[in-house]
């Protein structure tokens, strides 16, 4: 076999392995490097692996050809695979080449190198002559199979590299976590408050930071840094001796993950904003969601700290009696901090806060919607509990701005205003967003790919979302033909004019459709949820 021909094949295949592995590393990163979750994701997205599996099998029929023709066929096959799988899509959240990814890549390419060595040894064993001039290194097409296998089994080899590296990664993470704990131990005057919930926790974090910052020097976990490493990075990189309050957002996709975060941050106080059907595919049941969120409450109770609970949430209210000293906030009667006389318009919201000591105060804010009152009220309750008078909180509440991508009002001119709610993906949030959309006297347009990670209830809840959207919208644009089938059926079931429903393949196509609609009124476009790249 011509050595040059083998080298061409090996180079083409290696290029394919590099490009394909980057795609798989990206999906692993989006799935939190968690192999079980990634395996579930691969199963759900099995269609993307049909072509590689077919090409893996098709390698073997080429063995019936002569070595030279067979290798040419394999080379062309792999080159076509590269053309199909070459990078082209611009990702919303691109792959970050972190130290962990570099270590995973190193392990992956060691595995690939082993397969190349196997190919080399097979080729040497079957070579016609190793004394020929020029040398004949590879005498059989069989030596090419391990190399092609490395390409088409990349979706398996990439997670395998992640599994192999798990002990190393655990050791690295533990070092950083222990260092973060050391920093917290050396900050005895720092007061730590944990915030968790199925939804609303990020908004609560931003609102509370605005209120506490009016009197104290505060640090909050940025953006959605609500994982063990996100919290650790914040502590190690941003915590200063001058900080008086550390506001720590705590997210979870599995049982006991809040307990793990409490073990790092050791919060004195806690706020639970909500419990609802989110991440049911990984939690397994709503009971597991409830118990996991209340791991924060258990931590605070053990420390004798203050616990603030959204008393309007039915599941939280049922659990609250287990924590007699908890402070409840909400819009309903029976809460310690209650918001009443709520006035909502497309310009903002006004409400009156009734404190446990009988004090009342009128507040106004730029945030849209009655549901936002709950989170702001929770922030007011906690800030008031630290000793800040209600009348000193009115100005900070006025200053509160919408959290990016959470019912954020964006005026784009040309008669189009967007309500960016792209980071929302739960049933309660979707209902609240539709309610906000209904505040506007305008042509109301919904753009959404629907909700995910809702387990067995996903189809039912998306169907209901479609029914509710039909009541609130003039036009509906769905993103993704397969994902949005239940929403489409819900819209149809509600008797909506289906000529005003459009199903787009991408967000860009959806936005183009939005701009094409002709209407005398100003367009208000609700961008409800924006699925990550792994959906």
């Amino acid at each position: 076999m011509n050595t040059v021909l083998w080298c061409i094949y090996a180079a083409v295949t290696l290029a394919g392995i590099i490009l394909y592995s980057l795609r798989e590393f990206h999906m692993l990163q989006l799935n939190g490097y968690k192999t079980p979750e990634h395996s579930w994701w691969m199963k759900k997205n099995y269609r993307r692996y049909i072509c590689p599996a077919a090409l893996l099998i098709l390698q073997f029929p080429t063995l019936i050809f002569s070595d030279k023709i067979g290798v040419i066929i394999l080379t062309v096959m792999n080159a076509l695979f590269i053309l199909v799988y070459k990078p082209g899509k611009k990702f919303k959240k691109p792959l970050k080449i972190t130290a962990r990814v570099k270590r995973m890549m190193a392990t992956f390419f060691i595995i690939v190198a082993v397969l190349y060595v196997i190919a080399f040894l097979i080729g040497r064993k079957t070579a016609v002559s190793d004394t020929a001039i020029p040398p004949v290194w590879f005498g059989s097409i069989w030596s090419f199979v391990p190399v092609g296998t490395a390409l088409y089994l990349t979706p398996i080899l990439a997670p395998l590299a992640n599994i192999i590296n798990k002990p190393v990664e655990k050791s690295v993470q533990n070092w950083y976590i222990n260092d973060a704990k050391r920093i917290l131990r050396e900050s005895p005057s720092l007061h730590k408050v944990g915030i968790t919930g199925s939804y609303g926790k990020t908004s609560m974090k931003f609102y509370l930071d605005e209120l506490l910052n009016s009197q104290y020097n505060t640090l909050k976990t940025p953006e959605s840094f609500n994982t063990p490493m996100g919290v650790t990075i914040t502590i190690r990189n941003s915590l200063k001796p001058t900080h008086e309050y550390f506001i720590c957002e705590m997210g979870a996709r599995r049982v006991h993950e809040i307990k793990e975060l409490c073990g790092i941050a050791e919060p004195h106080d806690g706020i639970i904003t909500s419990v609802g059907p989110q991440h049911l595919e990984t939690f397994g049941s709503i009971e597991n969601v409830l118990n996991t969120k209340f791991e924060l409450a258990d931590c605070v109770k053990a420390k004798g700290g203050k616990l603030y609970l959204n008393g309007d949430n039915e599941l939280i209210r049922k659990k609250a009696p287990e924590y007699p000293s908890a402070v409840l906030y909400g819009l309903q009667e029976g809460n310690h901090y209650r918001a009443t006389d709520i006035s909502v318009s497309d310009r903002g919201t006004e409400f009156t806060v009734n404190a446990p000591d009988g004090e009342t105060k009128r507040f106004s804010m730029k945030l849209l919607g009655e549901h936002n009152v709950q989170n702001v009220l929770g922030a007011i309750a906690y800030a008031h509990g630290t000793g800040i008078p209600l009348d000193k909180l009115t100005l900070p509440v006025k200053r509160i701005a919408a959290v990016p991508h959470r019912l954020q009002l964006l005026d784009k001119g040309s008669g189009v205003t967007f309500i960016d709610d792209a980071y929302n993906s739960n049933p309660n949030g979707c209902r609240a967003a539709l309610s906000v959309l209904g505040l506007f006297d305008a042509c109301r347009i919904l753009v959404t790919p629907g909700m995910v990670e809702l387990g067995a209830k996903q189809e039912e809840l998306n169907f209901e979302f479609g029914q509710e959207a039909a009541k609130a919208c003039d036009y509906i644009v769905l993103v993704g033909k397969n994902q949005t089938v239940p929403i489409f059926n819900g819209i149809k079931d509600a008797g909506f004019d289906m000529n005003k429903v459009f199903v787009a393949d991408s967000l860009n196509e959806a936005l183009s459709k939005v701009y094409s609609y002709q209407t005398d009124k100003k367009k208000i476009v609700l961008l409800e949820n924006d699925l990550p790249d792994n959906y």
Side-chain angles (χ1 to χ4, degrees):
M1 179 69 66
N2 190 313
T3 304
V4 173
L5 195 59
W6 193 94
C7 288
I8 292 173
Y9 169 79
V12 170
T13 307
L14 182 59
I17 290 171
I18 292 171
L19 292 175
Y20 197 18
S21 65
L22 288 175
R23 292 169 65 99
E24 294 306 304
F25 290 140
H26 187 200
M27 295 303 110
L28 264 167
Q29 190 174 74
L30 291 174
N31 288 321
Y33 304 107
K34 291 179 170 55
T35 305
E37 187 170 324
H38 184 69
S39 299
W40 169 85
W41 177 87
M42 289 177 67
K43 182 178 179 181
K44 188 174 181 179
N45 294 273
Y46 69 91
R47 290 185 182 87
R48 66 185 281 142
Y49 300 113
I50 291 175
C51 177
L55 290 174
L56 175 66
I57 295 170
L58 286 174
Q59 285 187 107
F60 295 96
T62 60
L63 299 173
I64 65 174
F65 298 102
S66 67
D67 290 344
K68 187 173 184 179
I69 294 174
V71 172
I72 291 172
I73 293 173
L74 287 174
T75 304
V76 171
M77 185 188 300
N78 292 352
L80 290 173
F81 179 80
I82 292 173
L83 290 175
V84 172
Y85 280 82
K86 70 179 185 302
K89 176 184 175 182
K90 184 178 180 181
F91 292 107
K92 290 170 274 190
K93 190 176 181 181
L95 173 67
K96 292 182 180 178
I97 307 298
T98 61
R100 177 169 187 166
V101 170
K102 289 177 182 177
R103 290 190 291 268
M104 189 163 52
M105 286 179 172
T107 303
F108 171 80
F109 282 107
I110 287 171
I111 297 171
V112 171
V114 168
L115 291 172
Y116 267 64
V117 168
I118 292 171
F120 176 82
L121 293 175
I122 293 174
R124 287 287 286 143
K125 187 174 182 179
T126 58
V128 176
S129 170
D130 56 8
T131 60
I133 306 295
V136 181
W137 293 106
F138 296 93
S140 169
I141 194 172
W142 279 99
S143 65
F144 292 77
V145 173
V147 178
T149 299
L151 171 59
Y152 299 120
L153 288 184
T154 290
I156 294 175
L157 298 182
L160 177 61
N162 186 47
I163 293 171
I164 292 171
N165 282 10
K166 190 172 181 179
V168 174
E169 298 305 331
K170 187 66 177 174
S171 177
V172 171
Q173 285 185 9
N174 284 341
W175 188 92
Y176 285 119
I177 288 171
N178 288 332
D179 190 51
K181 289 180 178 180
R182 174 192 61 80
I183 294 170
L184 291 179
R185 284 196 303 270
E186 294 173 358
S187 306
S189 62
L190 180 70
H191 202 88
K192 296 160 288 186
V193 52
I195 300 174
T196 193
S198 297
Y199 43 88
K201 54 186 176 292
T202 302
S203 297
M204 173 68 80
K205 173 184 66 179
F206 277 89
Y207 304 160
L208 183 58
D209 179 64
E210 182 71 47
L211 300 193
L212 290 181
N213 207 30
S214 65
Q215 186 159 319
Y216 307 105
N217 190 355
T218 63
L219 171 68
K220 66 178 182 299
T221 49
E223 299 173 344
S224 292
F225 276 45
N226 56 21
T227 63
M229 291 313 296
V231 172
T232 298
I233 289 169
T234 304
I235 294 168
R236 295 185 71 248
N237 294 351
S238 304
L239 186 63
K240 301 290 188 295
T242 54
H243 285 129
E244 298 170 276
Y245 274 84
F246 176 43
I247 305 170
C248 182
E249 180 183 346
M250 298 180 169
R253 300 169 73 92
R254 292 174 183 77
V255 173
H256 298 319
E257 287 189 345
I258 296 298
K259 186 177 181 180
E260 180 183 0
L261 286 163
C262 287
I264 299 171
E266 296 187 337
H268 300 96
D269 302 330
I271 304 173
I272 301 179
T273 62
S274 60
V275 174
Q278 191 144 358
H279 304 311
L280 286 178
E281 288 174 345
T282 47
F283 273 115
S285 69
I286 195 67
E287 289 77 17
N288 287 340
V289 177
L290 176 67
N291 292 331
T292 299
K293 298 305 179 186
F294 269 82
E295 288 171 356
L296 172 60
D298 294 334
C299 174
V300 169
K301 184 178 180 180
K303 288 180 174 294
K306 294 180 180 179
L307 178 64
Y308 292 77
L309 303 175
N310 177 359
D312 289 348
N313 184 282
E314 184 179 351
L315 292 169
I316 290 177
R317 202 174 185 95
K318 286 181 179 178
K319 187 86 169 172
E322 298 178 25
Y323 307 86
S325 62
V327 177
L328 303 183
Y329 65 88
L331 279 56
Q332 300 173 8
E333 290 186 10
N335 289 301
H336 299 98
Y337 283 87
R338 187 184 176 203
T340 57
D341 303 322
I342 300 170
S343 174
V344 180
S345 72
D346 59 2
R347 296 181 299 277
T349 308
E350 292 185 3
F351 56 98
T352 298
V353 171
N354 302 272
D357 60 4
E359 184 183 2
T360 63
K361 193 68 182 176
R362 190 72 175 167
F363 287 84
S364 65
M365 61 184 184
K366 293 177 285 188
L367 300 179
L368 303 172
E370 186 175 283
H371 73 287
N372 267 320
V373 175
Q374 274 186 340
N375 282 332
V376 172
L377 178 62
I380 291 171
Y382 185 86
H384 189 243
T386 68
I388 305 177
L390 288 183
D391 60 355
K392 292 286 183 68
L393 292 171
T394 55
L395 187 57
V397 167
K398 280 184 180 179
R399 286 199 301 260
I400 291 176
V403 178
H405 311 298
R406 290 170 173 84
L407 287 178
Q408 183 182 19
L409 207 59
L410 303 171
D411 194 337
K412 295 295 185 179
S414 304
V416 180
T417 296
F418 287 95
I419 303 173
D420 182 357
D421 203 34
Y423 280 10
N424 188 18
S425 60
N426 64 84
N428 284 357
C430 288
R431 281 192 291 271
L434 290 173
S435 176
V436 169
L437 183 64
L439 295 174
F440 293 86
D441 180 17
C443 177
R444 295 167 294 195
I445 304 171
L446 170 67
V447 177
T448 184
M451 299 173 286
V452 296
E453 297 185 354
L454 296 174
K457 286 184 168 291
Q458 183 164 307
E459 185 170 341
E460 174 190 343
L461 291 171
N462 275 303
F463 181 86
E464 291 175 0
F465 178 36
Q467 290 179 314
E468 291 165 2
K471 301 171 187 174
C473 304
D474 298 303
Y475 292 92
I476 299 173
V477 181
L478 304 177
V479 183
K481 289 183 170 60
N482 296 323
Q483 176 70 30
T484 58
V485 169
I487 307 175
F488 185 92
N489 292 337
I491 296 167
K492 190 175 182 179
D493 182 74
F496 192 76
D497 182 356
M498 300 309 288
N499 292 320
K500 294 184 176 180
V501 178
F502 180 76
V503 183
D505 288 323
S506 66
L507 181 59
N508 285 337
E509 185 184 1
L511 294 179
S512 295
K513 186 64 177 179
V514 166
Y515 280 107
S516 73
Y517 288 132
Q518 300 298 316
T519 175
D520 296 332
K521 292 184 176 181
K522 183 174 182 176
K523 289 184 244 185
I524 299 292
V525 184
L526 172 61
L527 302 177
E528 186 62 18
N529 201 6
D530 185 14
L531 297 181
D533 297 301
N534 49 332
Y535 283 95

